[in-house]
Amino acid sequence: MKTLIGTGVALITPFKEDFSVDISALKKLVNFQIDNGVDYIVVLGTTGEYATLTTDERSIVKRTIVEETNGRVPLVLGIGGNNTAAVEQQVQEEDTDGFEAILSVSPYYSKPSQEGIYQHFKKVSHASPLPVILYNVPGRTGSNMLPETVARLAKDCSNIVGIKEAAGDIDQAMKMIAQTPEDFLVISGDDMITLPMVLAGGAGVISVIAEGFPKEFSSMVKLGLERKVDEAYKIHYKIAPAIDLIFAEGNPAGIKTVFKHLGLAEDQVRLPLVKASNNLSEELKSFIASLEK
């Protein structure tokens, strides 16, 4: 899927001061991404605080992004869970009009074996009307999807087209690139090692930092894909301090603080998450000012 090569962003769900969904800010954020060179947008992922949204709110967020994007960039929809039957049912019944693919996280909390992970995604693949991108994020799920399992799924399920690999392990990512078909997308899910992954043969990134600094980060990924290594690393080292900062007190508290300082959205998050501290907020404000010089 060449349309999903480059920079994707895991879009936040902006909230007003009263914690209601801020539709106006959401529209601004969509246009901010597209106007600054992002290649595609991921909707209702972890960064979008999917777990704390009601069913009605999820529908509103999804519809707003589809309408505001208006076909200008591809959209990917997050659908996942640790109840295989429920995920199967959701991918069959969900309105996926306007979306190009589904991003589905490896089952969390249950800590299944590699065989359990394989069987889960095989079921999801067969149920899905859209191509499926796997999502491996051991820090959140409690289990790691090994390269051999990914390669097996890529071989056995024709509509599993890629993986968002967020183990933070460049060695594991390189094994996934080596063991999967040439057209299988190994997408970075870790902002700090995005460029090394791209240079090793990865397809790009689904990023958090890129939505705050889309012009810079998408330029870096583009340069990496073009093998313009020195130019790409120049941008990497310019952005790297902000990557550490936005994750210092959890995601999406950090990136929402960036949007607050950019005047695009409030920094509200819903419990059990809390807003970034004043100290972190000031550090991010200083970084933004230094970047604009």
Side-chain angles (χ1 to χ4, degrees):
M1 295 188 69
K2 292 183 178 179
T3 52
L4 301 181
I5 293 174
T7 301
V9 292
L11 200 66
I12 67 156
T13 302
F15 300 128
K16 298 177 183 178
E17 288 292 335
D18 65 359
F19 298 101
S20 62
V21 175
D22 190 337
I23 299 300
S24 176
L26 185 58
K27 292 177 180 179
K28 284 184 193 175
L29 291 173
V30 168
N31 288 301
F32 181 66
Q33 306 308 316
I34 297 171
D35 292 346
N36 285 283
V38 160
D39 297 297
Y40 63 98
I41 294 171
V42 177
V43 180
L44 295 176
T46 308
T47 303
E49 294 177 79
Y50 174 88
T52 65
L53 298 176
T54 66
T55 301
D56 285 346
E57 287 173 333
R58 292 168 187 169
S59 296
I60 290 167
V61 167
K62 189 173 72 168
R63 185 171 66 248
T64 299
I65 295 173
V66 169
E67 290 174 357
E68 194 65 25
T69 301
N70 195 27
R72 288 178 290 168
V73 297
L75 297 175
V76 176
L77 181 62
I79 300 178
N82 63 345
N83 179 340
T84 304
V87 178
E88 275 187 285
Q89 183 176 358
Q90 187 178 355
V91 297
Q92 287 172 330
E93 297 177 356
E94 188 83 26
D95 179 6
T96 55
D97 188 39
F99 289 89
E100 186 134 340
I102 286 167
L103 177 68
S104 194
V105 70
S106 186
Y108 44 79
Y109 189 74
S110 304
K111 299 178 74 172
S113 66
Q114 294 302 302
E115 184 62 25
I117 292 170
Y118 171 84
Q119 294 296 341
H120 169 87
F121 279 118
K122 190 174 180 181
K123 290 274 192 182
V124 172
S125 167
H126 289 167
S128 177
L130 293 179
V132 175
I133 300 170
L134 312 172
Y135 181 15
N136 184 41
V137 57
R140 288 186 180 274
T141 63
S143 63
N144 183 29
M145 200 183 325
L146 296 178
E148 294 77 15
T149 304
V150 176
R152 188 179 168 202
L153 285 163
K155 177 186 174 186
D156 294 349
C157 304
S158 60
N159 71 330
I160 293 182
V161 298
I163 183 168
K164 177 183 177 183
E165 168 54 22
D169 183 340
I170 188 67
D171 180 55
Q172 174 163 291
M174 290 172 73
K175 287 177 180 174
M176 287 182 184
I177 293 166
Q179 294 176 22
T180 53
E182 191 173 341
D183 60 350
F184 187 84
L185 306 176
V186 179
I187 302 165
S188 174
D190 188 307
D191 289 335
M192 192 62 84
I193 63 170
T194 291
L195 184 54
M197 278 185 64
V198 167
L199 295 173
V205 66
I206 294 174
S207 174
V208 177
I209 193 70
E211 64 184 297
F213 307 98
K215 188 174 182 180
E216 293 82 0
F217 209 78
S218 59
S219 294
M220 181 199 78
V221 172
K222 185 172 183 289
L223 288 166
L225 289 167
E226 293 171 352
R227 295 298 184 263
K228 295 179 180 177
V229 180
D230 292 342
E231 294 170 68
Y233 265 114
K234 187 174 181 181
I235 299 173
H236 167 86
Y237 286 117
K238 193 176 180 181
I239 294 290
I243 297 173
D244 287 332
L245 288 173
I246 66 161
F247 293 109
E249 295 179 5
N251 181 46
I255 196 65
K256 283 193 166 185
T257 302
V258 171
F259 286 135
K260 173 82 169 180
H261 291 309
L262 292 175
L264 291 169
E266 295 297 328
D267 57 351
Q268 293 285 15
V269 292
R270 287 181 175 175
L271 287 170
L273 304 180
V274 294
K275 288 202 286 189
S277 65
N278 289 335
N279 285 344
L280 180 57
S281 178
E282 287 303 311
E283 286 185 88
L284 284 165
K285 185 177 181 180
S286 296
F287 177 83
I288 293 166
S290 70
L291 198 65
E292 292 172 348
K293 288 180 181 177

